[in-house]
Amino acid sequence: MIARLKAVRTAAVRITLAPVLVRLGVFLVTFAGLLLSYPVQMLQGPTLGALAVVAVAPALSPHRFWPSFAALVTVAGWVLATDLHGRPIALWRLLTVAALLYLAHTVTALAALLPYDAAVDPDLIVRWLTRAGVVVLATSVLGVLLVELARVGGDGTGRIPVTIAGLLVVTGLTAMLAWLLRRR
C-alpha cells in the first residue's frame, strides 16, 4: 500500500500540462454528450452528479472500459429521451450527439496514449483534433445528404435507397480498413 501511495505521489509531481488538458477535454466532450442526450427533466440533483461521474471516469482511466461505458450511457440517454419522454428526433441534436461521441472516442484514445508526464508538442494535439474535425464534418455532410435523400420520396419510399447507400458506405469503409490492416 505504501509503495502505491509513493507511486501516486511521484506521478502527481511529474504531471505535465498537455496530458491534463487532453484528459480535461475527454471530460468536457463526454459530459456535453451526456447532457445533450438525456432529457432535461432528468438533469437535476443526483442524476446530474451521476452523469458527471460517468464523464470523469474515462478522463481518469482512458485505457480501461470506462470510455465504452460512457458511450453506452450516452446512447441510453438518447433512447430514454426519444422513446420514453417523447422528444422528437432533431437532426441537429442527432448530429451533435454523434459528433460528441466520436470526439470523446478519439480524444480518449489520445489520452490513453499519453502518460501523465509526457512532453507533448502542441502540433500533435492540433493535428489529432484537425483530423477528428475533418471526420466529423464529412460525416455530418454525408448524414444531412442522406436525410435529404430520404425525404425525396414524400411517401417514405426514399428510405430504401438511403438504407442501401448507408450499407454500401459502411461496407466500403470496412473493406478499406481491412485492406489497410493487411497492408501493415
Side-chain angles (χ1 to χ4, degrees):
M1 181 72 161
I2 293 174
R4 287 187 184 191
L5 289 175
K6 285 183 181 180
V8 168
R9 182 175 174 255
T10 302
V13 170
R14 296 182 59 178
I15 277 179
T16 58
L17 183 62
V20 171
L21 290 176
V22 169
R23 289 170 188 258
L24 178 66
V26 169
F27 167 74
L28 292 175
V29 171
T30 303
F31 195 55
L34 287 165
L35 291 177
L36 196 58
S37 67
Y38 272 84
V40 177
Q41 302 89 336
M42 292 186 68
L43 298 177
Q44 301 165 2
T47 306
L48 189 60
L51 293 178
V53 169
V54 168
V56 164
L60 293 179
S61 185
H63 39 35
R64 309 284 290 201
F65 67 94
W66 295 113
S68 298
F69 178 75
L72 288 173
V73 171
T74 303
V75 171
W78 176 266
V79 170
L80 184 70
T82 55
D83 286 348
L84 296 179
H85 287 272
R87 180 169 68 194
I89 297 175
L91 182 61
W92 71 269
R93 186 182 303 266
L94 179 64
L95 289 176
T96 306
V97 170
L100 290 171
L101 279 169
Y102 176 74
L103 288 175
H105 169 76
T106 191
V107 176
T108 302
L110 178 60
L113 293 174
L114 295 177
Y116 281 107
D117 59 350
V120 179
D121 184 12
D123 285 345
L124 173 103
I125 296 172
V126 168
R127 284 192 315 262
W128 191 286
L129 294 176
T130 301
R131 266 183 274 164
V134 167
V135 169
V136 167
L137 180 65
T139 305
S140 298
V141 167
L142 183 63
V144 169
L145 289 175
L146 288 175
V147 166
E148 290 303 316
L149 181 63
R151 290 184 185 162
V152 168
D155 56 351
T157 58
R159 292 186 182 172
I160 293 173
V162 168
T163 303
I164 292 170
L167 287 173
L168 289 174
V169 167
V170 168
T171 304
L173 286 175
T174 304
M176 182 185 73
L177 290 174
W179 176 75
L180 287 172
L181 186 61
R182 270 189 263 133
R183 206 174 85 174
R184 282 185 156 196

